[in-house]
Amino acid sequence: MQAPKRQPRGLDVNLGAGAGRTPSSPLHPLSSLPVCVEPASGRSRVPSCMELVAGCYEQVLFGFAVHLEPKASGDQEQKWTPVADFTHHAHTASLSAVAVSSRFVVTGSKDETIHIYDMKKKVDHGALVHHNGTITCLKFHGNRHLISGAEDGLICVWDAKKWECLKSIKAHKGHVTFLSIHPSGKLALSVGTDKTLRTWNLVEGRSAFIKNIKQNAHIVEWSPRGEKYVVVILNKIDVYQLDTASVSGTITNEKRVSSVTFLSESVLAVAGDEEVVRFFDCDSLMCLSEFKAHENRVKDMFSFETPEHHIIVTASSDGFIKMWKLKEDKGVSPSLLCEVNTNARLTCLGVWLDRVTDTKGSLLPAVEPSPVSKKEQSERKKKESGREVQEEERQLKPDTKKCGLTGDSNKPTKGSSLISTKKRKTVEMLEKKKSKRKKIRMMQ
């Protein structure tokens, strides 16, 4: 059932009291739902620091806490046990996208809304209503920003603390089918049904480059270091190099690709409309290995690292969510850690990790600089004279008159260029002195 159409670009935020707003309707605490109870003692299980979250066609969001059992004597491997934590029916249509930060899980749906879940408090935090169309993609950058794309062609940037829409961009003439944020936070890529691949300057909130492609792409993804990205069209995966912005090679999967995730800068995991997951080398374009993950097509994947393991999680139309431990040699198939059956047709997947620190920056001019070559870095280090420093400051200093994503770009941001604040003030002071001297000479 489709939700009624809303006014374009309208913002209707229904948030919990903790966000400084009064909800218009009662929130539904996830903690009020049945939780797993240990049969021996009858006590509730201690919350895990890892939770599998998955959406489905049946409009439900599932949550499974993953417990790591202590090693038994003689056991070489630790036992991973998924335990049902919650099910939440917040949407009125099937779920289409999910994203996670260190505190929140957000879900997008065909009902045109984005729902927010506070995983610390286990409550429904409210809904964001801005798009007119199915929410097709959701991406967090750090803990401060959420970016959403939808079938209305809009890309929206949200403040993930106040949950306000900071920027609304008409990104594509057709649907926005997918988007990906560069690790630096300065760039984003999006693909849509207008047969274009678009590069976005997130600091200024404007289009940086448009590339016409022959067909409609449905997935785009940056590599971990941002040195390359892939664009998926049906069963073809084009590998692009950032420095040349051109295709370095094409990977061909047997069936239509449904999900990709980078395991390293060069190794890409690919799932499609089949039971198999394959690992490809993006440099040689060769298939390193493949393994049967499910009994039906794999819909989504998620990969992350712990201090001891590199994990990949898969979700399938067969209803199963499975966790796999990757081997160092990607030519060897991963081993199954655990699995859980949701008895639902899964569509999207995420893994919430209760991490205290967040190393990612924000979508502000204060983010780390875009990737530069080693040669450029060495040349910058060699510059010592005031004139060179002055020239570099002129080139790198952001234009504060341009609107940033925060709507507060007129205020100077600490660390907004490669030159320190002290050096910048020194250069400005010298410039003022020089101009005063020139005026005095002209008057004389």
Side-chain angles (χ1 to χ4, degrees):
M1 184 179 74
Q2 287 289 333
K5 291 289 182 181
R6 302 172 182 85
Q7 293 181 358
R9 295 176 181 261
L11 178 59
D12 177 16
V13 186
N14 172 22
L15 293 171
R21 292 175 182 265
T22 304
S24 58
S25 61
L27 300 180
H28 306 285
L30 302 183
S31 54
S32 68
L33 298 166
V35 297
C36 264
V37 177
E38 295 185 18
S41 61
R43 292 181 288 107
S44 296
R45 285 186 183 269
V46 178
S48 170
C49 62
M50 186 185 305
E51 187 123 4
L52 307 177
V53 289
C56 62
Y57 283 108
E58 290 79 11
Q59 309 170 9
V60 173
L61 177 69
F62 295 95
F64 295 90
V66 179
H67 297 276
L68 276 67
E69 306 292 340
K71 287 184 181 180
S73 58
D75 289 349
Q76 294 182 350
E77 295 291 339
Q78 203 170 20
K79 188 178 180 183
W80 296 55
T81 307
V83 178
D85 189 17
F86 67 86
T87 56
H88 197 54
H89 192 166
H91 291 282
T92 58
S94 60
L95 276 71
S96 52
V98 63
V100 295
S101 69
S102 65
R103 178 165 184 172
F104 295 103
V105 168
V106 295
T107 56
S109 167
K110 288 188 176 181
D111 65 8
E112 306 178 357
T113 65
I114 301 169
H115 267 267
I116 311 162
Y117 308 92
D118 188 328
M119 296 299 288
K120 301 278 190 181
K121 298 179 180 179
K122 291 295 178 70
V123 295
D124 185 335
H125 198 59
L128 303 176
V129 181
H130 189 84
H131 290 284
N132 288 324
T134 298
I135 310 300
T136 55
C137 44
L138 294 167
K139 298 287 183 180
F140 273 104
H141 182 74
N143 292 325
R144 190 60 194 267
H145 293 93
L146 170 71
I147 301 186
S148 61
E151 288 186 350
D152 56 7
L154 294 180
I155 288 178
C156 296
V157 182
W158 304 88
D159 184 330
K161 294 196 180 292
K162 297 180 180 179
W163 294 110
E164 297 174 346
C165 185
L166 303 174
K167 193 81 173 179
S168 182
I169 306 168
K170 181 60 178 177
H172 290 269
K173 293 179 181 178
H175 303 166
V176 177
T177 53
F178 212 86
L179 62 88
S180 182
I181 306 170
H182 190 272
S184 71
K186 286 192 170 185
L187 298 174
L189 294 170
S190 68
V191 289
T193 55
D194 55 1
K195 297 182 181 179
T196 62
L197 166 66
R198 297 177 183 248
T199 306
W200 300 96
N201 182 329
L202 292 182
V203 176
E204 299 177 354
R206 61 175 179 81
S207 176
F209 184 73
I210 302 174
K211 180 178 178 61
N212 293 315
I213 49 183
K214 294 180 180 180
Q215 293 175 282
N216 291 326
H218 61 282
I219 298 175
V220 61
E221 196 71 55
W222 285 103
S223 64
R225 293 202 301 265
E227 295 176 358
K228 60 171 67 74
Y229 54 92
V230 295
V231 177
V232 181
I233 302 172
L234 298 176
N235 68 325
K236 305 285 187 181
I237 305 167
D238 290 330
V239 182
Y240 288 77
Q241 299 299 323
L242 177 62
D243 54 355
T244 61
S246 60
V247 178
S248 61
T250 300
I251 295 170
T252 303
N253 196 48
E254 288 192 12
K255 293 191 177 181
R256 183 183 185 274
V257 175
S258 57
S259 178
V260 299
T261 182
F262 276 94
L263 306 180
S264 67
E265 192 65 20
S266 59
V267 179
L268 184 71
V270 178
D273 291 344
E274 53 188 332
E275 308 86 7
V276 174
V277 174
R278 296 182 177 89
F279 298 157
F280 287 93
D281 187 307
C282 291
D283 298 324
S284 66
L285 309 177
M286 300 294 293
C287 180
L288 301 175
S289 65
E290 65 177 60
F291 66 99
K292 183 179 179 180
H294 293 271
E295 296 300 323
N296 206 327
R297 60 182 178 175
V298 180
K299 291 293 291 183
D300 204 359
M301 295 187 296
F302 189 96
S303 68
F304 64 97
E305 292 186 58
T306 67
E308 297 179 354
H309 305 292
H310 192 168
I311 309 297
I312 186 170
V313 188
T314 56
S316 169
S317 296
D318 62 11
F320 276 87
I321 305 172
K322 297 185 180 184
M323 298 185 74
W324 308 84
K325 184 178 74 172
L326 298 173
K327 309 295 184 182
E328 288 188 15
D329 181 5
K330 298 305 183 290
V332 180
S333 298
S335 57
L336 182 66
L337 289 173
C338 63
E339 62 181 21
V340 61
N341 188 5
T342 64
N343 294 307
R345 295 172 298 162
L346 301 178
T347 57
C348 50
L349 172 72
V351 178
W352 178 74
L353 302 170
D354 191 3
R355 289 173 174 164
V356 178
T357 58
D358 177 40
T359 56
K360 290 185 178 180
S362 60
L363 303 182
L364 307 173
V367 296
E368 60 189 81
S370 299
V372 294
S373 66
K374 293 181 179 178
K375 183 180 179 181
E376 289 175 322
Q377 291 176 359
S378 62
E379 287 177 355
R380 285 174 182 171
K381 289 179 182 179
K382 291 178 182 178
K383 294 181 178 181
E384 296 177 356
S385 68
R387 183 178 179 183
E388 288 171 327
V389 170
Q390 180 184 343
E391 178 64 21
E392 185 171 339
E393 166 62 17
R394 186 186 66 78
Q395 292 176 357
L396 297 176
K397 186 177 180 181
D399 186 357
T400 55
K401 293 181 181 180
K402 294 182 180 179
C403 178
L405 297 183
T406 61
D408 194 24
S409 57
N410 288 330
K411 295 182 180 180
T413 309
K414 184 178 179 182
S416 61
S417 78
L418 296 178
I419 305 301
S420 67
T421 305
K422 188 175 180 180
K423 286 184 178 179
R424 182 164 55 247
K425 288 181 179 179
T426 303
V427 172
E428 290 173 354
M429 185 176 66
L430 290 172
E431 282 295 308
K432 288 179 181 179
K433 286 182 178 180
K434 286 180 180 178
S435 61
K436 285 181 180 179
R437 288 172 185 171
K438 287 181 179 179
K439 287 180 180 179
I440 292 169
R441 287 174 184 172
M442 289 176 68
M443 292 175 66
Q444 290 176 349

PDB file of all heavy atoms in Angstrom, residues 24-40:
ATOM      1  N   SER A  24       4.389  13.511  17.609  1.00  0.00           N
ATOM      2  CA  SER A  24       2.980  13.708  17.305  1.00  0.00           C
ATOM      3  C   SER A  24       2.170  12.443  17.544  1.00  0.00           C
ATOM      4  O   SER A  24       0.952  12.486  17.571  1.00  0.00           O
ATOM      5  CB  SER A  24       2.825  14.158  15.845  1.00  0.00           C
ATOM      6  OG  SER A  24       3.395  13.207  14.974  1.00  0.00           O
ATOM      7  N   SER A  25       2.852  11.331  17.709  1.00  0.00           N
ATOM      8  CA  SER A  25       2.176  10.072  17.998  1.00  0.00           C
ATOM      9  C   SER A  25       3.058   9.257  18.921  1.00  0.00           C
ATOM     10  O   SER A  25       4.272   9.444  18.955  1.00  0.00           O
ATOM     11  CB  SER A  25       1.908   9.293  16.703  1.00  0.00           C
ATOM     12  OG  SER A  25       3.120   8.995  16.048  1.00  0.00           O
ATOM     13  N   PRO A  26       2.453   8.364  19.703  1.00  0.00           N
ATOM     14  CA  PRO A  26       3.258   7.579  20.657  1.00  0.00           C
ATOM     15  C   PRO A  26       4.335   6.773  19.952  1.00  0.00           C
ATOM     16  O   PRO A  26       4.106   6.205  18.883  1.00  0.00           O
ATOM     17  CB  PRO A  26       2.215   6.664  21.305  1.00  0.00           C
ATOM     18  CG  PRO A  26       0.899   7.309  21.054  1.00  0.00           C
ATOM     19  CD  PRO A  26       1.033   8.033  19.756  1.00  0.00           C
ATOM     20  N   LEU A  27       5.517   6.751  20.546  1.00  0.00           N
ATOM     21  CA  LEU A  27       6.599   5.932  20.025  1.00  0.00           C
ATOM     22  C   LEU A  27       6.441   4.514  20.533  1.00  0.00           C
ATOM     23  O   LEU A  27       5.799   4.271  21.557  1.00  0.00           O
ATOM     24  CB  LEU A  27       7.944   6.502  20.477  1.00  0.00           C
ATOM     25  CG  LEU A  27       8.243   7.924  20.029  1.00  0.00           C
ATOM     26  CD1 LEU A  27       9.598   8.358  20.539  1.00  0.00           C
ATOM     27  CD2 LEU A  27       8.198   8.037  18.522  1.00  0.00           C
ATOM     28  N   HIS A  28       7.010   3.598  19.806  1.00  0.00           N
ATOM     29  CA  HIS A  28       6.894   2.186  20.168  1.00  0.00           C
ATOM     30  C   HIS A  28       8.256   1.673  20.599  1.00  0.00           C
ATOM     31  O   HIS A  28       9.109   1.394  19.752  1.00  0.00           O
ATOM     32  CB  HIS A  28       6.389   1.373  18.973  1.00  0.00           C
ATOM     33  CG  HIS A  28       5.113   1.907  18.402  1.00  0.00           C
ATOM     34  ND1 HIS A  28       3.900   1.740  19.012  1.00  0.00           N
ATOM     35  CD2 HIS A  28       4.873   2.653  17.291  1.00  0.00           C
ATOM     36  CE1 HIS A  28       2.949   2.335  18.290  1.00  0.00           C
ATOM     37  NE2 HIS A  28       3.528   2.902  17.246  1.00  0.00           N
ATOM     38  N   PRO A  29       8.485   1.562  21.905  1.00  0.00           N
ATOM     39  CA  PRO A  29       9.799   1.103  22.366  1.00  0.00           C
ATOM     40  C   PRO A  29      10.079  -0.318  21.915  1.00  0.00           C
ATOM     41  O   PRO A  29       9.243  -1.207  22.077  1.00  0.00           O
ATOM     42  CB  PRO A  29       9.708   1.183  23.893  1.00  0.00           C
ATOM     43  CG  PRO A  29       8.426   1.876  24.201  1.00  0.00           C
ATOM     44  CD  PRO A  29       7.562   1.776  22.999  1.00  0.00           C
ATOM     45  N   LEU A  30      11.240  -0.512  21.347  1.00  0.00           N
ATOM     46  CA  LEU A  30      11.606  -1.864  20.944  1.00  0.00           C
ATOM     47  C   LEU A  30      11.775  -2.754  22.160  1.00  0.00           C
ATOM     48  O   LEU A  30      11.569  -3.955  22.107  1.00  0.00           O
ATOM     49  CB  LEU A  30      12.917  -1.828  20.143  1.00  0.00           C
ATOM     50  CG  LEU A  30      12.908  -0.957  18.890  1.00  0.00           C
ATOM     51  CD1 LEU A  30      14.238  -1.076  18.185  1.00  0.00           C
ATOM     52  CD2 LEU A  30      11.794  -1.332  17.966  1.00  0.00           C
ATOM     53  N   SER A  31      12.185  -2.136  23.295  1.00  0.00           N
ATOM     54  CA  SER A  31      12.422  -2.933  24.497  1.00  0.00           C
ATOM     55  C   SER A  31      11.136  -3.508  25.070  1.00  0.00           C
ATOM     56  O   SER A  31      11.157  -4.397  25.907  1.00  0.00           O
ATOM     57  CB  SER A  31      13.118  -2.076  25.561  1.00  0.00           C
ATOM     58  OG  SER A  31      12.374  -0.905  25.797  1.00  0.00           O
ATOM     59  N   SER A  32       9.967  -2.996  24.622  1.00  0.00           N
ATOM     60  CA  SER A  32       8.707  -3.540  25.120  1.00  0.00           C
ATOM     61  C   SER A  32       8.343  -4.837  24.416  1.00  0.00           C
ATOM     62  O   SER A  32       7.436  -5.539  24.836  1.00  0.00           O
ATOM     63  CB  SER A  32       7.583  -2.527  24.914  1.00  0.00           C
ATOM     64  OG  SER A  32       7.313  -2.353  23.537  1.00  0.00           O
ATOM     65  N   LEU A  33       9.066  -5.144  23.340  1.00  0.00           N
ATOM     66  CA  LEU A  33       8.828  -6.383  22.624  1.00  0.00           C
ATOM     67  C   LEU A  33       9.504  -7.533  23.342  1.00  0.00           C
ATOM     68  O   LEU A  33      10.433  -7.330  24.123  1.00  0.00           O
ATOM     69  CB  LEU A  33       9.363  -6.263  21.188  1.00  0.00           C
ATOM     70  CG  LEU A  33       8.689  -5.168  20.361  1.00  0.00           C
ATOM     71  CD1 LEU A  33       9.505  -4.898  19.118  1.00  0.00           C
ATOM     72  CD2 LEU A  33       7.288  -5.581  19.985  1.00  0.00           C
ATOM     73  N   PRO A  34       9.052  -8.766  23.116  1.00  0.00           N
ATOM     74  CA  PRO A  34       9.664  -9.910  23.813  1.00  0.00           C
ATOM     75  C   PRO A  34      11.152 -10.012  23.519  1.00  0.00           C
ATOM     76  O   PRO A  34      11.573  -9.887  22.377  1.00  0.00           O
ATOM     77  CB  PRO A  34       8.906 -11.107  23.220  1.00  0.00           C
ATOM     78  CG  PRO A  34       7.633 -10.547  22.678  1.00  0.00           C
ATOM     79  CD  PRO A  34       7.965  -9.152  22.228  1.00  0.00           C
ATOM     80  N   VAL A  35      11.947 -10.206  24.565  1.00  0.00           N
ATOM     81  CA  VAL A  35      13.379 -10.415  24.396  1.00  0.00           C
ATOM     82  C   VAL A  35      13.712 -11.836  24.763  1.00  0.00           C
ATOM     83  O   VAL A  35      12.952 -12.506  25.458  1.00  0.00           O
ATOM     84  CB  VAL A  35      14.217  -9.451  25.277  1.00  0.00           C
ATOM     85  CG1 VAL A  35      13.974  -8.025  24.871  1.00  0.00           C
ATOM     86  CG2 VAL A  35      13.887  -9.633  26.749  1.00  0.00           C
ATOM     87  N   CYS A  36      14.862 -12.316  24.292  1.00  0.00           N
ATOM     88  CA  CYS A  36      15.263 -13.678  24.595  1.00  0.00           C
ATOM     89  C   CYS A  36      15.594 -13.813  26.077  1.00  0.00           C
ATOM     90  O   CYS A  36      16.276 -12.958  26.636  1.00  0.00           O
ATOM     91  CB  CYS A  36      16.476 -14.067  23.753  1.00  0.00           C
ATOM     92  SG  CYS A  36      15.948 -14.937  22.286  1.00  0.00           S
ATOM     93  N   VAL A  37      15.145 -14.849  26.674  1.00  0.00           N
ATOM     94  CA  VAL A  37      15.395 -15.087  28.092  1.00  0.00           C
ATOM     95  C   VAL A  37      16.150 -16.387  28.236  1.00  0.00           C
ATOM     96  O   VAL A  37      15.839 -17.390  27.588  1.00  0.00           O
ATOM     97  CB  VAL A  37      14.053 -15.165  28.875  1.00  0.00           C
ATOM     98  CG1 VAL A  37      14.302 -15.485  30.322  1.00  0.00           C
ATOM     99  CG2 VAL A  37      13.293 -13.863  28.732  1.00  0.00           C
ATOM    100  N   GLU A  38      17.164 -16.384  29.065  1.00  0.00           N
ATOM    101  CA  GLU A  38      17.934 -17.590  29.295  1.00  0.00           C
ATOM    102  C   GLU A  38      17.054 -18.609  30.014  1.00  0.00           C
ATOM    103  O   GLU A  38      16.484 -18.324  31.068  1.00  0.00           O
ATOM    104  CB  GLU A  38      19.167 -17.272  30.142  1.00  0.00           C
ATOM    105  CG  GLU A  38      20.147 -16.357  29.417  1.00  0.00           C
ATOM    106  CD  GLU A  38      21.406 -16.163  30.216  1.00  0.00           C
ATOM    107  OE1 GLU A  38      21.645 -16.972  31.123  1.00  0.00           O
ATOM    108  OE2 GLU A  38      22.138 -15.202  29.942  1.00  0.00           O
ATOM    109  N   PRO A  39      16.915 -19.817  29.469  1.00  0.00           N
ATOM    110  CA  PRO A  39      15.995 -20.796  30.035  1.00  0.00           C
ATOM    111  C   PRO A  39      16.379 -21.240  31.441  1.00  0.00           C
ATOM    112  O   PRO A  39      15.525 -21.561  32.237  1.00  0.00           O
ATOM    113  CB  PRO A  39      16.067 -21.962  29.042  1.00  0.00           C
ATOM    114  CG  PRO A  39      17.345 -21.751  28.300  1.00  0.00           C
ATOM    115  CD  PRO A  39      17.596 -20.296  28.288  1.00  0.00           C
ATOM    116  N   ALA A  40      17.627 -21.240  31.760  1.00  0.00           N
ATOM    117  CA  ALA A  40      18.064 -21.767  33.061  1.00  0.00           C
ATOM    118  C   ALA A  40      17.690 -20.831  34.200  1.00  0.00           C
ATOM    119  O   ALA A  40      17.170 -21.257  35.223  1.00  0.00           O
ATOM    120  CB  ALA A  40      19.569 -21.999  33.040  1.00  0.00           C
TER     121      ALA A  40
END
